[in-house]
Amino acid sequence: LGGACLLGVGIWVIVDPTGFREIVAANPLLFTGAYIMLAMGAMLFLLGFLGCCGAIRENKCLLLFFFMFILLIFLAELSAAILAFIFRENLTREFFTKELKKHYLRNNDTDVFSSTWNSVMITFACCGVNGPEDFEAIPHLPYTSLENAIPEACCQRELQSREGMIVNKEACLAGIERFQNRQGCYTVILNSFETYVYLAGALAIGVLAIELFAMIFAMCLFRGIQ
């Protein structure tokens, strides 16, 4: 069950059509993490099946194999959780603001970083990390008007997707606030994912607990087989 859950989450992250897929694809760390999650989910699912076979047949070799691999996965997951807790400070508002001002190229969709940020802002109806003021210090492309302080991705749309029509593009780029998304993406995404973060944390603790009990019961059965 734990393996099936990880497998499902990994598949959702990779194929999710709401824009999260583009963020994952643009970030090598997230991209690798999604596939690691897929691989671990498939491995856990397979090992669970082997553990069941070993228990039903009372096969000591299968039970020992099951125990050793579950132990390795348990230690890897525990290490990943500790590292995520230690390096959580890197995901601060200041870090994202600095990266945005350093690498963002406005409406240049040939640049992966800019395209990803544009997708995020369109999907979540937000603008910049803190708000439209983040773009004041970002240079304009040579062929764009200097009056455009914000990119098109910050303009309000009838439908929150790249295919959605901008409500009033000229007014938005001219600086009329009621046609702009004024809220920063950091707050919007944090609020959107807050519930899911606690759910993911609870799920991770549940998976680790299941793995721990699986190892204990496997060893008990291993020792009990004559």
Side-chain angles (χ1 to χ4, degrees), residues 78-93:
L78 197 61
S79 301
I82 293 170
L83 286 173
F85 180 78
I86 292 172
F87 292 105
R88 72 191 187 282
E89 289 84 6
N90 290 339
L91 302 178
T92 60
R93 187 187 296 267

Side-chain angles (χ1 to χ4, degrees), residues 4-158:
C5 286
L6 280 178
L7 201 58
V9 171
I11 292 170
W12 174 76
V13 167
I14 291 171
V15 304
D16 175 52
T18 59
F20 194 65
R21 175 181 55 196
E22 296 182 33
I23 304 172
V24 172
N27 190 315
L29 187 61
L30 290 176
F31 188 73
T32 305
Y35 278 96
I36 288 174
M37 190 181 294
L38 269 177
M40 290 189 70
M43 191 182 296
L44 274 176
F45 189 84
L46 177 62
L47 287 174
F49 178 75
L50 290 176
C52 286
C53 288
I56 292 168
R57 294 175 177 272
E58 295 189 348
N59 186 309
K60 292 182 97 173
C61 183
L62 278 177
L63 284 172
L64 187 61
F65 178 81
F66 170 78
F67 174 83
M68 293 301 296
F69 272 85
I70 289 291
L71 178 61
L72 288 173
I73 291 171
F74 178 84
L75 293 175
E77 290 174 347
L78 197 61
S79 301
I82 293 170
L83 286 173
F85 180 78
I86 292 172
F87 292 105
R88 72 191 187 282
E89 289 84 6
N90 290 339
L91 302 178
T92 60
R93 187 187 296 267
E94 292 73 23
F95 170 78
F96 285 115
T97 304
K98 180 182 176 182
E99 290 296 301
L100 180 72
K101 291 181 177 180
K102 184 178 179 181
H103 300 292
Y104 186 68
L105 300 176
R106 295 184 175 269
N107 301 321
N108 184 359
D109 282 339
T110 58
D111 176 67
V112 175
F113 184 89
S114 304
S115 177
T116 300
W117 259 106
N118 288 336
S119 294
V120 169
M121 292 189 290
I122 291 170
T123 301
F124 291 95
C126 56
C127 189
V129 178
N130 309 288
E133 62 274 9
D134 290 342
F135 298 103
E136 292 175 2
I138 295 176
H140 294 73
L141 293 174
Y143 52 82
T144 58
S145 170
L146 295 177
E147 296 177 0
N148 301 343
I150 65 169
E152 291 180 13
C154 287
C155 296
Q156 291 183 5
R157 294 171 182 255
E158 296 174 0

